[in-house]
Amino acid sequence: MTDLITIRRPDDWHLHLRDGDVLATVLPYTSGSFGRAMVMPNLQPPVATVEAARAYRARILAAVPAGDRFMPLMTAYLCDHTPPDELRRGHEEGVFSAVKLYPSGATTHSEFGVTDMAKVAPALECMQAIGMPLLLHGESTDPAVDVFDREAVFLERTLQPLLRDFPALKVVLEHITTEEAAQVVRSDHSGRLGATITPQHLLFNRNAIFTQGIRPHFYCLPILKRERHRLALIQVATSGDARFFLGTDSAPHARALKESACGCAGIFNAPTALAAYATVFDQAGALDRLEAFASLNGPRFYGLSPNEDTLTLLRAPQAVPDNVALPGGAAIHPFLGGSTVPWQVRPARPAAPH
Ligand code: DOR
Ligand code: ZN
């Protein structure tokens, strides 16, 4: 049995870091283990201009703990009227690594997102021409669509026409949750379509949200799906297929905002994501493929080199705290908080000082 596994340092290709005190609190959990992260732009107001992204990147870099080597990769929040030249300039100047498309109303802070794909055709033309990737929150916002079907409907109504109309556009289907999404990505052989997968969608099915009561800390978007989908995600993630790579979608919300009559969507998994992925790969008998998923496939898709240094995971029980404290007395509940997970990152990062 493998008890110690050393892989190239992983990257997180889908991450929410927020800003201010929350940024300072959550960032060390990522920067201690990951070399790079694709940082989501859904702040309020959204990160939609080159100048906003440059300033946000500077705030992130200023919050990286001494001794961590971490590179945030910035994304542009796509609005109906984003000028293509803003994207082009941000890309040329090395500020924007990619563009994030939220269908308007699909999720947290998506109200400035895209209301109609026709409106962003000029931006997509430009991105296709300059090789700038599009990152998709792939859920239909049609209120008539069942919440558990939103991803599958998006694939048919939005993704397929997009892939047809922009045949050279690089696209990442973020946080895939269904067998249908896995199949769409697998059936593309052009090399321009990839997908990220979160730890929660690999470890849990939708029953987790309703076990002996309602469990708001299992609520994220896209919502957890039924078991057959989870099994399909495990299959593609652990297969070594280069089109699938690690993206945690770690999305911190203060505990009180989740434990509420109208709780926020998002799971703060940065502290336990790697232990969770290792658990999944171990259970699938595929620990030897963890490095491809976590550290190689993502850089390859984005045309970057893998990280030079390494990260070691140890099979040893890790008690996960129930809370991560925020300045001022609030707290965030981490994914798997209050339980013991079978893997840990070595050396363990000391708890953030607060
Ligand atoms: O659960 C989610 N939380 N899904 C998203 O798409 C956004 C994220 C957030 O920013 O909280
Ligand atoms: Zn996200």
Side-chain angles (χ1 to χ4, degrees):
M1 198 155 73
T2 314
D3 289 327
L4 203 62
I5 165 167
T6 296
I7 58 174
R8 293 261 198 159
R9 184 170 296 284
D11 302 300
D12 185 348
W13 296 103
H14 186 121
L15 177 67
H16 299 268
L17 284 173
R18 317 303 191 203
D19 214 340
D21 284 346
V22 177
L23 166 64
T25 302
V26 303
L27 177 60
Y29 292 99
T30 293
S31 65
S33 296
F34 294 92
R36 294 164 287 201
M38 194 65 83
V39 179
M40 293 299 118
N42 62 334
L43 303 184
Q44 278 181 314
V47 181
T49 64
V50 182
E51 290 333 303
R54 213 189 282 281
Y56 185 32
R57 182 170 65 182
R59 295 196 296 281
I60 295 168
L61 287 170
V64 175
D68 286 357
R69 277 178 48 206
F70 173 73
M71 173 71 75
L73 303 174
M74 309 310 291
T75 56
Y77 187 116
L78 188 63
C79 306
D80 280 348
H81 303 292
T82 300
D85 276 350
E86 189 72 8
L87 302 178
R88 182 195 309 274
R89 185 166 69 86
H91 192 244
E92 277 172 7
E93 293 180 12
V95 178
F96 289 145
S97 295
V99 175
K100 179 65 190 269
L101 188 157
Y102 291 102
S104 183
T107 186
T108 310
H109 304 162
S110 64
E111 53 276 20
F112 298 100
V114 173
T115 62
D116 176 357
M117 292 300 283
K119 296 204 165 125
V120 293
L124 300 176
E125 288 287 354
C126 168
M127 292 162 59
Q128 175 171 252
I130 64 178
M132 191 177 190
L134 177 71
L135 315 185
L136 287 174
H137 183 107
E139 287 197 285
S140 166
T141 52
D142 179 346
V145 174
D146 189 283
V147 63
F148 293 100
D149 297 335
R150 284 180 189 168
E151 183 173 277
V153 170
F154 180 91
L155 301 176
E156 274 189 42
R157 291 192 195 164
T158 308
L159 181 69
Q160 298 295 7
L162 175 82
L163 296 176
R164 186 192 59 224
D165 296 346
F166 299 93
L169 183 65
K170 281 190 106 157
V171 175
V172 181
L173 199 49
E174 298 289 343
H175 42 54
I176 59 167
T177 63
T178 57
E179 193 176 3
E180 289 85 344
Q183 189 47 41
V184 164
V185 176
R186 261 179 14 165
S187 60
D188 178 272
H189 297 285
S190 66
R192 54 87 168 235
L193 182 62
T196 55
I197 308 181
T198 78
Q200 59 266 23
H201 293 100
L202 291 169
L203 268 185
F204 293 98
N205 65 36
R206 64 192 191 174
N207 286 354
I209 312 168
F210 308 106
T211 305
Q212 295 161 2
I214 189 137
R215 305 273 177 175
H217 296 291
F218 282 103
Y219 176 56
C220 64
L221 289 172
I223 199 161
L224 297 177
K225 302 297 193 300
R226 47 169 82 239
E227 182 67 0
R228 85 175 156 87
H229 297 294
R230 187 181 80 89
L231 295 176
L233 298 179
I234 292 174
Q235 208 279 321
V236 291
T238 62
S239 67
D241 186 326
R243 292 167 289 196
F244 299 91
F245 38 91
L246 185 159
T248 64
D249 200 12
S250 182
H253 292 277
R255 208 171 169 128
L257 296 176
K258 289 193 63 70
E259 297 172 4
S260 150
C262 185
C264 295
I267 295 180
F268 174 49
N269 62 29
T272 43
L274 286 170
Y277 285 121
T279 303
V280 170
F281 276 70
D282 190 15
Q283 284 170 358
L287 273 179
D288 58 329
R289 301 206 178 119
L290 180 62
E291 183 177 50
F293 177 77
S295 317
L296 305 178
N297 296 350
R300 178 167 139 167
F301 181 86
Y302 283 106
L304 301 169
S305 301
N307 294 309
E308 286 297 332
D309 57 341
T310 60
L311 174 125
T312 297
L313 284 147
L314 172 70
R315 185 198 304 277
Q318 177 195 172
V320 182
D322 204 37
N323 280 316
V324 168
L326 289 168
I332 311 170
H333 176 73
F335 180 52
L336 305 170
S339 75
T340 298
V341 295
W343 287 85
Q344 49 181 267
V345 173
R346 286 273 110 178
R349 162 177 288 289
H354 277 303

